Amino acid sequence: QVRLVESGGGSVQPGGSLKLSCAASGFMFDAWSMSWFRRVPGKNEREALACNGGINDYTDSALHRFIISRDSDKKTVYLQMNNLEPEDAGMYFCAAKRDWNYCNPPLWRAEKNMDYFGRGTLVTISS
């Protein structure tokens, strides 16, 4: 059974940093691409941020501020977020795709193309 559990969310001041984690289980971690999405207040759909699988790919919202990485021994994918802005507040989700090389855009950037999502971790930005 595929399971993705996010952690690391919380409240941070503008300009601050957070590191999110996603613990994966129930599948061959190294054979899957892993990504991060978020849902911001007022929007129903999840926005793609970063993908690790074959290559690392970032959308404009994440480029130069966020870094995706994975630890295969721990079966965990991370999202280091720096210089956070009020617009970054929202629910952050980890996602998995059964394809080790899925991160060439644009396919991974559509949430409907991912196979599994976790329940999310909440990030708030407040001064």
Side-chain angles (χ1 to χ4, degrees):
Q1 179 181 356
V2 172
R3 191 163 184 236
L4 302 172
V5 180
E6 301 93 337
S7 61
S11 182
V12 63
Q13 292 184 337
S17 298
L18 279 176
K19 187 173 184 177
L20 307 182
S21 300
C22 172
S25 61
F27 61 99
M28 291 181 65
F29 185 67
D30 286 345
W32 291 50
S33 294
M34 302 297 296
S35 59
W36 286 95
F37 287 70
R38 70 183 178 193
R39 182 183 290 127
V40 299
K43 293 194 175 181
N44 289 328
E45 63 182 25
R46 297 183 182 99
E47 172 194 7
L49 295 171
C51 187
N52 173 277
I55 62 168
N56 284 351
D57 186 58
Y58 298 91
T59 62
D60 288 345
S61 294
L63 192 62
H64 303 311
R65 296 190 302 133
F66 296 177
I67 301 172
I68 189 171
S69 61
R70 75 165 74 191
D71 185 327
S72 294
D73 290 339
K74 295 182 179 179
K75 295 186 178 180
T76 300
V77 63
Y78 303 98
L79 187 68
Q80 175 67 47
M81 305 190 296
N82 302 316
N83 194 22
L84 286 162
E85 303 166 349
E87 295 74 24
D88 293 315
M91 187 69 80
Y92 283 68
F93 300 88
C94 161
K97 177 70 179 180
R98 194 196 316 258
D99 182 332
W100 72 272
N101 190 26
Y102 199 69
C103 295
N104 288 291
L107 289 178
W108 76 267
R109 297 181 178 186
E111 62 173 316
K112 66 180 177 67
N113 291 336
M114 305 310 291
D115 293 325
Y116 295 95
F117 280 87
R119 291 192 170 188
T121 185
L122 185 64
V123 173
T124 58
I125 314 293
S126 63
S127 53

